[in-house]
Amino acid sequence: MTEIRLTNTKTRKKEVFTPIDPDNVRMYVCGPTVYDRAHLGNARPVIVFDVLYRLLRHVYGADHVTYVRNFTDVDDKINAEAQRRKAAGDPRSLEELIRERTEETIGWYHADMDALGALRPTVEPRATDFIGQMIGMIEGLIASGHAYAKDGHVLFRVRSYQGYGKLSGRTVDDMIAGARVEIAPFKEDPMDFVLWKPSDADLPGWESPWGRGRPGWHIECSAMSHELLGDSFDIHGGGIDLQFPHHENEIAQSKCAHPEAEFAKVWMHNEMLQVEGKKMSKSLGNFFTVRDLLDKGIPGEVIRFVFLSTHYSKPMDWTLPKSREAIRTLRDWISVAEQSAQVPNAEVIAALADDLNTSLAITKLHELFSGGSYAELTASAKLLGFDLLALKSASWATPFERRDLVEWLDYNATVGSLGWGHFSEDTVTAIHNLLRRWMTLRWEAKWSQADDLKRSAELIGLRFEVSKSKDGTSSGTAHIEGDFDPAKLEALK
RNA sequence: GGCGGGUUGGCGGAGAGGUUACGCAGCGGAUUGCAAAUCCGUGUAGACCGGUUCGAUUCCGGUACCCGCCUCCA
């Protein structure tokens, strides 16, 4: 059996992974708050843990891995959007508007993450379906002295859990000294965090022993992971920004609610995404969603490839040159993909098993490609989530070629076009006519006119080339670039 | 201020205490008005200062710079 080693944030070491139950390996990953389209940063944990999920399924069997990723569908940003729609005159109730907003956002999320080649988790629980379990857990925490109710709020008593701060390497006193903590009047200690808070009539709420209210952010993951995966499970993942306070608070709640259990054995955190060297943020104007990229014609697999080319524990920079390089590599691989019973390459598996070294795994794929081991390349790429065979039918990966043999002046010439995607007969004929015009000008040695035409063609995404063979036959080729727009052809006719 | 991560050749990006990473770009050739594609060949590194060692880019210490979290933005 393949030995998997993973860096555990809890111990800050790379450890051999030993599942609690090899027949049911259990992983929980913090999912999105469903108030809007997923931005590019949201995609990183999805892709990283998708590769881990695929590796675990490969090693332990597809039916022996349970992957839970939640939807946070109770949140102030969701409420704000629903209230905005209500204020805009929508006659429906707030609850209906919230439900509609979260439903449509979940639909977008699924579509976008599917496009990135991410498998759907085994279970995708919604926080609002587990309110009862959250209330039960909070009641238990109050009973055991780890939480207290005050003014309709319930707070977790941070000082009651001595392990608090261990995951993120801080102490309660350090953090208070940091002076960035909110000091609310109902808190015993500034670091205490909210388990339950009251809702007024304008906010969604559920009846509870502390009045009508809604859960705090952290309790949902503790309640849902316990309900779906049990007291203790194998892997808990998410972005490094969640390490504190979200994961720290999850640990405190779960360990105090179930003191006999271990909760998550291995904690994994992916580093952040950057865009052209900077943090993605609305104020810098470099903020965009996965859908924005897909709509610009960047295939999901290309996004996935760029993400996996950097190890998950390092900041990953999204740049345009990287996506261009990725599309070329994928096209090369797709063009040679072969159906076979081949199993993934051992070195590729070993790279992934060594703390998800996707970058090294891609290096091995390059070597399989250059070594001509195409069946093995196909099988190995699939382990990383690239279905090269299926991509053969993707428009962006379909080579386009048409060659017309024509009588041309005093020799036979071939006029052809090359590109990626599908183009109509009329479009290609028009391209070939342009190409012939260019070749005529060249034949007549009208170089400046020829160059002018070539430049104009380049502006609409056509690159002309000519080559001459030894017998005096010459052939012209029009390269159809990614930004070619058939509609612009008219102007050059 | 507290905690954590990073700094590798033109660019991206890994492993390993000593032996070619790999990809892209570049350069030379097959071949050319210019240019593209393909093939063959090829150069370039380890932020800085110390230490350990026969030997460090790889281990240890320090410095500089960059980034993240501490604000319910992954």
Side-chain angles (χ1 to χ4, degrees):
Chain A
M1 167 138 343
T2 305
E3 181 179 279
I4 298 176
R5 301 195 305 147
L6 301 171
T7 297
N8 189 350
T9 311
K10 201 160 75 176
T11 59
R12 291 166 213 289
K13 288 195 188 108
K14 205 190 277 188
E15 302 170 345
V16 173
F17 175 69
T18 313
I20 298 167
D21 175 7
D23 287 332
N24 185 17
V25 182
R26 286 157 288 163
M27 172 164 79
Y28 186 97
V29 173
C30 289
T33 301
V34 283
Y35 68 102
D36 205 353
R37 282 271 185 198
H39 65 245
L40 193 62
N42 289 307
R44 194 163 188 204
V46 172
I47 292 172
V48 165
F49 292 105
D50 179 64
V51 173
L52 180 56
Y53 182 41
R54 288 172 187 269
L55 177 68
L56 292 171
R57 284 161 61 97
H58 177 78
V59 172
Y60 296 98
D63 297 332
H64 300 287
V65 184
T66 304
Y67 174 20
V68 177
R69 187 180 62 208
N70 67 294
F71 285 118
T72 299
D73 60 349
V74 49
D75 175 88
D76 289 345
K77 286 188 289 292
I78 299 170
N79 301 339
E81 174 62 21
Q83 283 167 333
R84 194 191 61 73
R85 292 186 184 191
K86 184 90 180 156
D90 200 305
R92 288 169 296 175
S93 74
L94 207 55
E95 283 70 24
E96 284 172 321
L97 289 171
I98 285 168
R99 190 75 188 175
E100 179 187 70
R101 181 61 175 177
T102 57
E103 286 290 341
E104 76 184 343
T105 307
I106 287 171
W108 293 336
Y109 187 81
H110 276 148
D112 295 348
M113 298 307 128
D114 288 353
L116 299 177
L119 299 171
R120 298 271 180 98
T122 321
V123 190
E124 295 181 283
R126 300 175 64 141
T128 51
D129 291 334
F130 292 82
I131 300 289
Q133 286 87 340
M134 295 185 217
I135 291 173
M137 188 175 255
I138 295 169
E139 285 180 310
L141 288 170
I142 293 174
S144 58
H146 292 293
Y148 55 95
K150 184 94 186 285
D151 301 339
H153 291 74
V154 182
L155 290 117
F156 185 89
R157 188 175 277 131
V158 163
R159 301 273 182 189
S160 77
Y161 177 56
Q162 61 179 18
Y164 194 79
K166 195 157 171 276
L167 179 73
S168 50
R170 347 172 162 217
T171 66
V172 175
D173 292 323
D174 280 347
M175 287 183 280
I176 290 170
R180 285 233 212 172
V181 286
E182 171 200 359
I183 301 175
F186 46 79
K187 288 186 179 181
E188 281 181 10
D189 186 288
M191 289 309 295
D192 289 350
F193 59 89
V194 171
L195 296 171
W196 190 265
K197 53 192 168 187
S199 291
D200 60 29
D202 290 338
L203 290 169
W206 291 263
E207 288 310 320
S208 80
W210 317 286
R212 184 173 175 276
R214 60 197 198 282
W217 174 36
H218 316 291
I219 192 69
E220 61 173 86
C221 289
S222 287
M224 290 190 284
S225 64
H226 182 263
E227 179 75 15
L228 298 165
L229 297 176
D231 282 354
S232 300
F233 54 94
D234 297 293
I235 298 167
H236 191 130
I240 188 71
D241 56 326
L242 295 179
Q243 185 187 25
F244 186 90
H246 183 56
H247 290 161
E248 200 72 72
N249 293 354
E250 264 189 67
I251 290 173
Q253 293 158 355
S254 293
K255 291 283 282 184
C256 290
H258 310 285
E260 70 293 345
E262 188 177 6
F263 192 40
K265 272 185 78 175
V266 180
W267 284 84
M268 291 180 70
H269 292 100
N270 61 276
E271 253 293 348
M272 298 288 98
L273 172 100
Q274 299 188 340
V275 173
E276 307 285 351
K278 293 201 169 87
K279 181 182 174 171
M280 184 168 76
S281 73
K282 285 174 179 164
S283 58
L284 286 172
N286 62 352
F287 182 96
F288 49 89
T289 65
V290 173
R291 180 52 50 184
D292 290 335
L293 285 183
L294 295 171
D295 286 348
K296 271 167 66 181
I298 295 178
E301 291 79 8
V302 168
I303 299 172
R304 183 182 186 91
F305 189 99
V306 170
F307 275 43
L308 294 183
S309 66
T310 299
H311 192 256
Y312 77 87
S313 66
K314 288 193 173 185
M316 207 283 305
D317 198 13
W318 171 267
T319 66
L320 219 51
K322 280 187 181 180
S323 69
R324 291 203 192 99
E325 198 175 316
I327 198 168
R328 284 187 48 165
T329 302
L330 284 169
R331 279 170 175 164
D332 282 348
W333 292 358
I334 290 162
S335 72
V336 301
E338 285 177 5
Q339 181 79 57
S340 81
Q342 182 72 47
V343 296
N345 174 271
E347 287 187 87
V348 172
I349 296 171
L352 294 181
D354 184 12
D355 199 26
L356 243 43
N357 194 337
T358 51
S359 174
L360 186 61
I362 286 174
T363 291
K364 298 300 173 191
L365 296 183
H366 278 300
E367 289 170 3
L368 292 175
F369 174 75
S370 56
S373 306
Y374 301 140
E376 211 172 354
L377 169 67
T378 309
S380 305
K382 188 140 194 188
L383 189 58
L384 271 84
F386 299 105
D387 191 341
L388 302 181
L389 281 168
L391 288 170
K392 275 184 185 288
S393 59
S395 174
W396 62 269
T398 305
F400 176 85
E401 179 170 6
R402 183 176 127 192
R403 297 211 167 265
D404 297 342
L405 248 174
V406 293
E407 284 298 315
W408 188 248
L409 301 175
D410 58 346
Y411 58 88
N412 289 318
T414 301
V415 174
S417 46
L418 289 172
W420 298 92
H422 307 284
F423 305 98
S424 73
E425 281 293 306
D426 287 354
T427 298
V428 179
T429 301
I431 290 172
H432 287 195
N433 287 342
L434 265 186
L435 182 59
R436 283 190 193 121
R437 219 163 83 203
W438 177 64
M439 291 174 74
T440 308
L441 290 168
R442 286 166 44 86
W443 181 253
E444 294 166 350
K446 294 176 180 169
W447 302 117
S448 67
Q449 286 181 54
D451 289 349
D452 283 348
L453 179 58
K454 186 180 175 179
R455 267 194 294 278
S456 304
E458 274 169 5
L459 289 175
I460 67 165
L462 295 173
R463 202 182 70 240
F464 291 163
E465 292 167 14
V466 72
S467 62
K468 194 185 278 182
S469 65
K470 294 206 163 62
D471 65 357
T473 305
S474 93
S475 57
T477 305
H479 288 267
I480 305 170
E481 305 285 6
D483 60 348
F484 170 68
D485 179 1
K488 291 178 185 157
L489 214 44
E490 282 300 317
L492 287 184
K493 270 185 180 171

